[in-house]
Amino acid sequence: MINPRIVKNTKNIASYSVKLLIGLAFISPLIIGLMFSIHTETELSQLPLRLFPKVPTLENYAKVFTVVPILHYLKNSLIVCGVAIVSQIILASLAAYGFVFFDFPLKNLLWTTILATMMIPGEVVIITNYVTIQNMGLINSYSGLFITSLISGTSIFLMRQYYKQLPKDFKEAATLDGCGDIGFLFKIAMPLSIPTVSALAIYQFVRIYNAYFWPLLVTNKDVWRTVQVGVSYLVTGDVEEYGKVIAAAMVAMTPAVVAFIFGQDYIIKGMVSGGVKG
Amino acid sequence: MKKLTAILVLIALILTPVLAQGEKEVPAKVVEEVKPAGTVEVVWWTFHGATNVAYFQKVIDAFNASQADYHVTIEYQGSQNELMAKMQSTLPKELPALFHFAIENIGMVSGADYAVKAQGYVDKDKTGWPELKNTYDSFYAASLDGEGNLVGYPSGVSYPTIYYNADMLAKAGIDPASLTSYPKVLEACRTLVKGGYTKYGIGFHTDAGYYVNAALAREGVVAYNNRNGLDAPITECLYKDGGVVEDAVTNYLNFYKDLYAENLGVPFGANYSSEIIPLMASGECAMMLGVISMTTKMLAAVDNGFEVGVIPSPSITEAGSRAGEPSGGTWLFIGNNGNKWAMQGAYEFMKFSSKGEWAGHISASTGYLAPSTDAYESAVYKNYLQNTFPGIKVVYESLANSKGDALMPICGVSAEIKNANKLAVEMVSKTPNDATVNKAVKTAYDQIQEAIELYNLSN
């Protein structure tokens, strides 16, 4: 007769081992990237590639910080993300609230139009948007960088789905207590929607932070460039210096990884409660 | 009442086009012929990254210090294709006065609103441009439009070439100078792999479409009508002419068919930088078809482990002419941003950067070819030839014997041509048999012809 405790422990060990292996498989690109970023360029150009360098070096990081103003690019990216996310949360909440709690003419048509914008790939309108931005004189400015990210159909959709789930009793009780729509939105509905808002913020952060072509189009000068453009600047003609590029990518992905680590629970909750169009 | 309204609407409709004047033409602003006082800003857009920009910056600093009329600033604008998209969609007032484009796109630049040809400035230049006369014939010819006008000037000349492990070839008894055609390259691969010298005979830079054009050019075959676009716009791809061109394309693809049928090549699609060069450095691959600007990467990877050599792009068959040199790489062009003096400054910088000392500096730093004898004979380039890459002398010998440009197609759909060519090579490399070769030629022809027709319809 096998001791049930041993069986339980064995099951636990097996279960954690499998989970650990799956976790390692998912995180392996990061580990490999981190290890390769401390190889010399010559070592990275020779076979067999080793995970552990012969002599670890931080020269790639040193070059990244001296060749390009990566911290300045990071600052620009974070400013653009910050403004766009705050704007998306406010505007999407207001719009979604209107769609859920108000009746107005052409409501369905307007909603369909918003849904339709989600079906148009961004690449299709990027050049026309670029021409518009030039005519508005917003080239080389933060406004030009974030103006197309101030609101999106996805955000409105996400918030609407959440508000639709709110029990109508909440609204009725608030109205009976003399709370108007703005009060209900900001004092009751929005605080209750924190998981959805967080999911929305993280989703938009990853999207806007990783944007490459738009920031490249609307900025010409280094001082306005975002981190993704900065990383691409390290690739030169036909010569790819992997060490530098990987080191820059490690630096660039840090904020996104941190945001994801701290917000992963909210992302899952938000997706489950509202549904996110990828 | 309804009748009256209908009549009024009808009259309005008839009169509108008659009375409409459209936008009043604003008389062109007369620009002073004398440059206004002060320094004019000349913005230069490039697709080169930080390392090369640092080399260009040295030339810019020297230019800015040499005079007070113009001040050049270089700005990175993404990859070649991204820069191209940006140039095409940027309003004239936002355009740079100077920009980098790949020379394969000269047909596009030549007819574009966003660029002006350098020839107009050359004609008005009273001080002259001696380096222009000393530019290698092939590169000079590649810089011209069909009417002989200078469109741009080389800034980083690349060149299709086969890199080889000189020690390995010597051990296998192969004379690199004898590899003048693809059948001979195939034979060398057989010797190297079947003789146990290495695992792979050759690997390929995946920009295969460019090398198809180069191979056809080295063969001496004009694969498009109107002399590859020099005499008039290209209207027809000749890949299915049932004659010389079709034979040349088929023979070229047969090289890949035989190579991959016998497992002699690095699987097509391998990245040259992260896979093929490391394979060469470790002795598992003997040769690589690439461009000369890969030299610094190659030498760094090999790290003096063996001697690296290069041979010019072979012809498709041994009977090929190999008379001209196919150009590649980066050229400088003048942007049409409406700012006359900024554009003049762009031309002045173009001239300045072609001086032997500066063109030599760029070539020696980046691995690109010296565009002129001035650059080749500069002290900095001589040092490169002696101490960094002596093997490159073979290319200059070929250039010296060249009869000029090898005539790559000049048209606005060079990117589509390259993609179609690449697809053909991919198809054959994946399924190496005769049926695929025939299908690949037809597929490439169909795609190129469609692109040409679409382009001509919209231009």
Side-chain angles (χ1 to χ4, degrees), chain B residues 300-327:
Chain B
V302 170
D303 201 19
N304 291 319
F306 54 82
E307 190 190 334
V308 176
V310 284
I311 50 169
S313 177
S315 53
I316 294 171
T317 63
E318 202 45 37
S321 68
R322 295 185 292 278
E325 306 290 329
S327 303

PDB file of all heavy atoms in Angstrom, chain B residues 300-327:
ATOM      1  N   ALA B 300      34.390  40.413 -39.129  1.00  0.00           N
ATOM      2  CA  ALA B 300      34.274  40.362 -37.666  1.00  0.00           C
ATOM      3  C   ALA B 300      33.973  38.940 -37.216  1.00  0.00           C
ATOM      4  O   ALA B 300      34.530  38.456 -36.225  1.00  0.00           O
ATOM      5  CB  ALA B 300      33.186  41.306 -37.191  1.00  0.00           C
ATOM      6  N   ALA B 301      33.100  38.243 -37.961  1.00  0.00           N
ATOM      7  CA  ALA B 301      32.724  36.879 -37.575  1.00  0.00           C
ATOM      8  C   ALA B 301      33.897  35.909 -37.758  1.00  0.00           C
ATOM      9  O   ALA B 301      34.153  35.063 -36.917  1.00  0.00           O
ATOM     10  CB  ALA B 301      31.524  36.424 -38.395  1.00  0.00           C
ATOM     11  N   VAL B 302      34.596  36.068 -38.878  1.00  0.00           N
ATOM     12  CA  VAL B 302      35.714  35.151 -39.168  1.00  0.00           C
ATOM     13  C   VAL B 302      36.869  35.403 -38.199  1.00  0.00           C
ATOM     14  O   VAL B 302      37.574  34.466 -37.786  1.00  0.00           O
ATOM     15  CB  VAL B 302      36.158  35.319 -40.645  1.00  0.00           C
ATOM     16  CG1 VAL B 302      37.453  34.572 -40.916  1.00  0.00           C
ATOM     17  CG2 VAL B 302      35.051  34.832 -41.576  1.00  0.00           C
ATOM     18  N   ASP B 303      37.021  36.656 -37.820  1.00  0.00           N
ATOM     19  CA  ASP B 303      37.998  37.007 -36.773  1.00  0.00           C
ATOM     20  C   ASP B 303      39.382  36.423 -37.076  1.00  0.00           C
ATOM     21  O   ASP B 303      40.003  35.785 -36.217  1.00  0.00           O
ATOM     22  CB  ASP B 303      37.463  36.475 -35.420  1.00  0.00           C
ATOM     23  CG  ASP B 303      38.087  37.196 -34.239  1.00  0.00           C
ATOM     24  OD1 ASP B 303      38.621  38.295 -34.437  1.00  0.00           O
ATOM     25  OD2 ASP B 303      38.046  36.643 -33.127  1.00  0.00           O
ATOM     26  N   ASN B 304      39.819  36.601 -38.327  1.00  0.00           N
ATOM     27  CA  ASN B 304      41.142  36.123 -38.786  1.00  0.00           C
ATOM     28  C   ASN B 304      41.295  34.604 -38.724  1.00  0.00           C
ATOM     29  O   ASN B 304      42.418  34.101 -38.751  1.00  0.00           O
ATOM     30  CB  ASN B 304      42.267  36.783 -37.978  1.00  0.00           C
ATOM     31  CG  ASN B 304      42.368  38.255 -38.294  1.00  0.00           C
ATOM     32  OD1 ASN B 304      42.245  38.656 -39.454  1.00  0.00           O
ATOM     33  ND2 ASN B 304      42.553  39.068 -37.276  1.00  0.00           N
ATOM     34  N   GLY B 305      40.177  33.888 -38.636  1.00  0.00           N
ATOM     35  CA  GLY B 305      40.233  32.419 -38.602  1.00  0.00           C
ATOM     36  C   GLY B 305      40.704  31.839 -39.925  1.00  0.00           C
ATOM     37  O   GLY B 305      41.279  30.754 -39.967  1.00  0.00           O
ATOM     38  N   PHE B 306      40.429  32.527 -40.998  1.00  0.00           N
ATOM     39  CA  PHE B 306      40.920  32.128 -42.330  1.00  0.00           C
ATOM     40  C   PHE B 306      40.883  33.358 -43.226  1.00  0.00           C
ATOM     41  O   PHE B 306      40.318  34.395 -42.841  1.00  0.00           O
ATOM     42  CB  PHE B 306      40.075  30.986 -42.936  1.00  0.00           C
ATOM     43  CG  PHE B 306      38.593  31.258 -42.993  1.00  0.00           C
ATOM     44  CD1 PHE B 306      38.029  32.011 -44.017  1.00  0.00           C
ATOM     45  CD2 PHE B 306      37.735  30.748 -42.004  1.00  0.00           C
ATOM     46  CE1 PHE B 306      36.660  32.245 -44.059  1.00  0.00           C
ATOM     47  CE2 PHE B 306      36.377  30.979 -42.041  1.00  0.00           C
ATOM     48  CZ  PHE B 306      35.827  31.729 -43.075  1.00  0.00           C
ATOM     49  N   GLU B 307      41.453  33.214 -44.420  1.00  0.00           N
ATOM     50  CA  GLU B 307      41.446  34.361 -45.334  1.00  0.00           C
ATOM     51  C   GLU B 307      40.111  34.414 -46.078  1.00  0.00           C
ATOM     52  O   GLU B 307      39.639  33.402 -46.596  1.00  0.00           O
ATOM     53  CB  GLU B 307      42.590  34.240 -46.342  1.00  0.00           C
ATOM     54  CG  GLU B 307      42.789  35.502 -47.159  1.00  0.00           C
ATOM     55  CD  GLU B 307      43.751  35.314 -48.326  1.00  0.00           C
ATOM     56  OE1 GLU B 307      44.618  34.410 -48.241  1.00  0.00           O
ATOM     57  OE2 GLU B 307      43.609  36.038 -49.317  1.00  0.00           O
ATOM     58  N   VAL B 308      39.506  35.604 -46.086  1.00  0.00           N
ATOM     59  CA  VAL B 308      38.233  35.779 -46.806  1.00  0.00           C
ATOM     60  C   VAL B 308      38.529  36.401 -48.170  1.00  0.00           C
ATOM     61  O   VAL B 308      39.307  37.346 -48.271  1.00  0.00           O
ATOM     62  CB  VAL B 308      37.285  36.711 -46.022  1.00  0.00           C
ATOM     63  CG1 VAL B 308      36.008  36.967 -46.814  1.00  0.00           C
ATOM     64  CG2 VAL B 308      36.953  36.122 -44.659  1.00  0.00           C
ATOM     65  N   GLY B 309      37.926  35.821 -49.195  1.00  0.00           N
ATOM     66  CA  GLY B 309      38.094  36.388 -50.533  1.00  0.00           C
ATOM     67  C   GLY B 309      36.747  36.698 -51.154  1.00  0.00           C
ATOM     68  O   GLY B 309      35.708  36.266 -50.643  1.00  0.00           O
ATOM     69  N   VAL B 310      36.770  37.473 -52.227  1.00  0.00           N
ATOM     70  CA  VAL B 310      35.525  37.751 -52.957  1.00  0.00           C
ATOM     71  C   VAL B 310      35.753  37.603 -54.445  1.00  0.00           C
ATOM     72  O   VAL B 310      36.865  37.812 -54.934  1.00  0.00           O
ATOM     73  CB  VAL B 310      34.978  39.174 -52.701  1.00  0.00           C
ATOM     74  CG1 VAL B 310      34.317  39.301 -51.360  1.00  0.00           C
ATOM     75  CG2 VAL B 310      36.036  40.241 -52.896  1.00  0.00           C
ATOM     76  N   ILE B 311      34.692  37.229 -55.134  1.00  0.00           N
ATOM     77  CA  ILE B 311      34.732  37.247 -56.602  1.00  0.00           C
ATOM     78  C   ILE B 311      33.514  38.029 -57.081  1.00  0.00           C
ATOM     79  O   ILE B 311      32.476  38.035 -56.407  1.00  0.00           O
ATOM     80  CB  ILE B 311      34.707  35.828 -57.223  1.00  0.00           C
ATOM     81  CG1 ILE B 311      33.568  34.985 -56.624  1.00  0.00           C
ATOM     82  CG2 ILE B 311      36.048  35.148 -57.076  1.00  0.00           C
ATOM     83  CD1 ILE B 311      33.316  33.698 -57.368  1.00  0.00           C
ATOM     84  N   PRO B 312      33.632  38.708 -58.214  1.00  0.00           N
ATOM     85  CA  PRO B 312      32.479  39.439 -58.742  1.00  0.00           C
ATOM     86  C   PRO B 312      31.338  38.479 -59.079  1.00  0.00           C
ATOM     87  O   PRO B 312      31.556  37.284 -59.266  1.00  0.00           O
ATOM     88  CB  PRO B 312      33.008  40.100 -60.015  1.00  0.00           C
ATOM     89  CG  PRO B 312      34.489  40.080 -59.878  1.00  0.00           C
ATOM     90  CD  PRO B 312      34.812  38.882 -59.052  1.00  0.00           C
ATOM     91  N   SER B 313      30.158  39.029 -59.160  1.00  0.00           N
ATOM     92  CA  SER B 313      28.975  38.231 -59.490  1.00  0.00           C
ATOM     93  C   SER B 313      29.211  37.438 -60.778  1.00  0.00           C
ATOM     94  O   SER B 313      29.604  38.005 -61.792  1.00  0.00           O
ATOM     95  CB  SER B 313      27.803  39.195 -59.673  1.00  0.00           C
ATOM     96  OG  SER B 313      26.660  38.498 -60.052  1.00  0.00           O
ATOM     97  N   PRO B 314      28.994  36.115 -60.750  1.00  0.00           N
ATOM     98  CA  PRO B 314      29.218  35.321 -61.969  1.00  0.00           C
ATOM     99  C   PRO B 314      28.110  35.565 -63.008  1.00  0.00           C
ATOM    100  O   PRO B 314      27.068  36.132 -62.686  1.00  0.00           O
ATOM    101  CB  PRO B 314      29.144  33.878 -61.474  1.00  0.00           C
ATOM    102  CG  PRO B 314      29.070  33.943 -59.994  1.00  0.00           C
ATOM    103  CD  PRO B 314      28.558  35.286 -59.633  1.00  0.00           C
ATOM    104  N   SER B 315      28.364  35.109 -64.203  1.00  0.00           N
ATOM    105  CA  SER B 315      27.299  35.150 -65.220  1.00  0.00           C
ATOM    106  C   SER B 315      26.517  33.833 -65.136  1.00  0.00           C
ATOM    107  O   SER B 315      26.962  32.883 -64.486  1.00  0.00           O
ATOM    108  CB  SER B 315      27.889  35.343 -66.614  1.00  0.00           C
ATOM    109  OG  SER B 315      28.878  34.373 -66.847  1.00  0.00           O
ATOM    110  N   ILE B 316      25.393  33.796 -65.834  1.00  0.00           N
ATOM    111  CA  ILE B 316      24.540  32.607 -65.728  1.00  0.00           C
ATOM    112  C   ILE B 316      25.176  31.411 -66.431  1.00  0.00           C
ATOM    113  O   ILE B 316      25.164  30.294 -65.924  1.00  0.00           O
ATOM    114  CB  ILE B 316      23.136  32.916 -66.294  1.00  0.00           C
ATOM    115  CG1 ILE B 316      22.461  33.956 -65.394  1.00  0.00           C
ATOM    116  CG2 ILE B 316      22.288  31.652 -66.372  1.00  0.00           C
ATOM    117  CD1 ILE B 316      21.173  34.511 -65.936  1.00  0.00           C
ATOM    118  N   THR B 317      25.732  31.670 -67.597  1.00  0.00           N
ATOM    119  CA  THR B 317      26.433  30.599 -68.318  1.00  0.00           C
ATOM    120  C   THR B 317      27.869  31.057 -68.582  1.00  0.00           C
ATOM    121  O   THR B 317      28.168  32.250 -68.467  1.00  0.00           O
ATOM    122  CB  THR B 317      25.768  30.298 -69.677  1.00  0.00           C
ATOM    123  OG1 THR B 317      25.865  31.490 -70.479  1.00  0.00           O
ATOM    124  CG2 THR B 317      24.308  29.928 -69.516  1.00  0.00           C
ATOM    125  N   GLU B 318      28.693  30.129 -68.956  1.00  0.00           N
ATOM    126  CA  GLU B 318      30.088  30.489 -69.223  1.00  0.00           C
ATOM    127  C   GLU B 318      30.178  31.413 -70.441  1.00  0.00           C
ATOM    128  O   GLU B 318      31.124  32.198 -70.569  1.00  0.00           O
ATOM    129  CB  GLU B 318      30.915  29.208 -69.429  1.00  0.00           C
ATOM    130  CG  GLU B 318      32.402  29.338 -69.215  1.00  0.00           C
ATOM    131  CD  GLU B 318      32.814  30.116 -67.963  1.00  0.00           C
ATOM    132  OE1 GLU B 318      32.159  30.010 -66.918  1.00  0.00           O
ATOM    133  OE2 GLU B 318      33.812  30.871 -68.034  1.00  0.00           O
ATOM    134  N   ALA B 319      29.167  31.331 -71.296  1.00  0.00           N
ATOM    135  CA  ALA B 319      29.173  32.182 -72.497  1.00  0.00           C
ATOM    136  C   ALA B 319      28.715  33.613 -72.192  1.00  0.00           C
ATOM    137  O   ALA B 319      28.748  34.470 -73.078  1.00  0.00           O
ATOM    138  CB  ALA B 319      28.250  31.560 -73.544  1.00  0.00           C
ATOM    139  N   GLY B 320      28.315  33.865 -70.963  1.00  0.00           N
ATOM    140  CA  GLY B 320      27.845  35.206 -70.598  1.00  0.00           C
ATOM    141  C   GLY B 320      28.914  36.258 -70.807  1.00  0.00           C
ATOM    142  O   GLY B 320      30.107  35.969 -70.752  1.00  0.00           O
ATOM    143  N   SER B 321      28.495  37.505 -71.023  1.00  0.00           N
ATOM    144  CA  SER B 321      29.459  38.533 -71.427  1.00  0.00           C
ATOM    145  C   SER B 321      30.332  39.014 -70.261  1.00  0.00           C
ATOM    146  O   SER B 321      31.503  39.302 -70.452  1.00  0.00           O
ATOM    147  CB  SER B 321      28.712  39.722 -72.022  1.00  0.00           C
ATOM    148  OG  SER B 321      27.967  40.363 -71.019  1.00  0.00           O
ATOM    149  N   ARG B 322      29.760  39.111 -69.060  1.00  0.00           N
ATOM    150  CA  ARG B 322      30.462  39.638 -67.882  1.00  0.00           C
ATOM    151  C   ARG B 322      31.164  40.956 -68.199  1.00  0.00           C
ATOM    152  O   ARG B 322      32.242  41.255 -67.704  1.00  0.00           O
ATOM    153  CB  ARG B 322      31.478  38.618 -67.349  1.00  0.00           C
ATOM    154  CG  ARG B 322      30.854  37.357 -66.817  1.00  0.00           C
ATOM    155  CD  ARG B 322      31.867  36.437 -66.185  1.00  0.00           C
ATOM    156  NE  ARG B 322      32.787  35.860 -67.144  1.00  0.00           N
ATOM    157  CZ  ARG B 322      32.535  34.795 -67.902  1.00  0.00           C
ATOM    158  NH1 ARG B 322      31.380  34.166 -67.791  1.00  0.00           N
ATOM    159  NH2 ARG B 322      33.424  34.341 -68.748  1.00  0.00           N
ATOM    160  N   ALA B 323      30.524  41.720 -69.059  1.00  0.00           N
ATOM    161  CA  ALA B 323      31.161  42.953 -69.538  1.00  0.00           C
ATOM    162  C   ALA B 323      30.889  44.143 -68.636  1.00  0.00           C
ATOM    163  O   ALA B 323      31.688  45.054 -68.538  1.00  0.00           O
ATOM    164  CB  ALA B 323      30.681  43.256 -70.953  1.00  0.00           C
ATOM    165  N   GLY B 324      29.751  44.144 -67.989  1.00  0.00           N
ATOM    166  CA  GLY B 324      29.403  45.287 -67.146  1.00  0.00           C
ATOM    167  C   GLY B 324      29.295  44.880 -65.694  1.00  0.00           C
ATOM    168  O   GLY B 324      29.292  43.699 -65.362  1.00  0.00           O
ATOM    169  N   GLU B 325      29.240  45.872 -64.837  1.00  0.00           N
ATOM    170  CA  GLU B 325      29.186  45.610 -63.400  1.00  0.00           C
ATOM    171  C   GLU B 325      27.832  46.048 -62.847  1.00  0.00           C
ATOM    172  O   GLU B 325      27.459  47.221 -62.977  1.00  0.00           O
ATOM    173  CB  GLU B 325      30.285  46.391 -62.682  1.00  0.00           C
ATOM    174  CG  GLU B 325      31.676  46.154 -63.232  1.00  0.00           C
ATOM    175  CD  GLU B 325      32.193  44.756 -62.936  1.00  0.00           C
ATOM    176  OE1 GLU B 325      31.823  44.201 -61.896  1.00  0.00           O
ATOM    177  OE2 GLU B 325      32.951  44.227 -63.763  1.00  0.00           O
ATOM    178  N   PRO B 326      27.095  45.138 -62.230  1.00  0.00           N
ATOM    179  CA  PRO B 326      25.809  45.542 -61.651  1.00  0.00           C
ATOM    180  C   PRO B 326      26.024  46.343 -60.371  1.00  0.00           C
ATOM    181  O   PRO B 326      26.781  45.924 -59.495  1.00  0.00           O
ATOM    182  CB  PRO B 326      25.115  44.222 -61.352  1.00  0.00           C
ATOM    183  CG  PRO B 326      26.131  43.165 -61.504  1.00  0.00           C
ATOM    184  CD  PRO B 326      27.396  43.731 -62.024  1.00  0.00           C
ATOM    185  N   SER B 327      25.394  47.482 -60.300  1.00  0.00           N
ATOM    186  CA  SER B 327      25.554  48.318 -59.106  1.00  0.00           C
ATOM    187  C   SER B 327      24.460  48.007 -58.102  1.00  0.00           C
ATOM    188  O   SER B 327      23.387  47.553 -58.442  1.00  0.00           O
ATOM    189  CB  SER B 327      25.460  49.790 -59.483  1.00  0.00           C
ATOM    190  OG  SER B 327      26.408  50.091 -60.446  1.00  0.00           O
TER     191      SER B 327
END
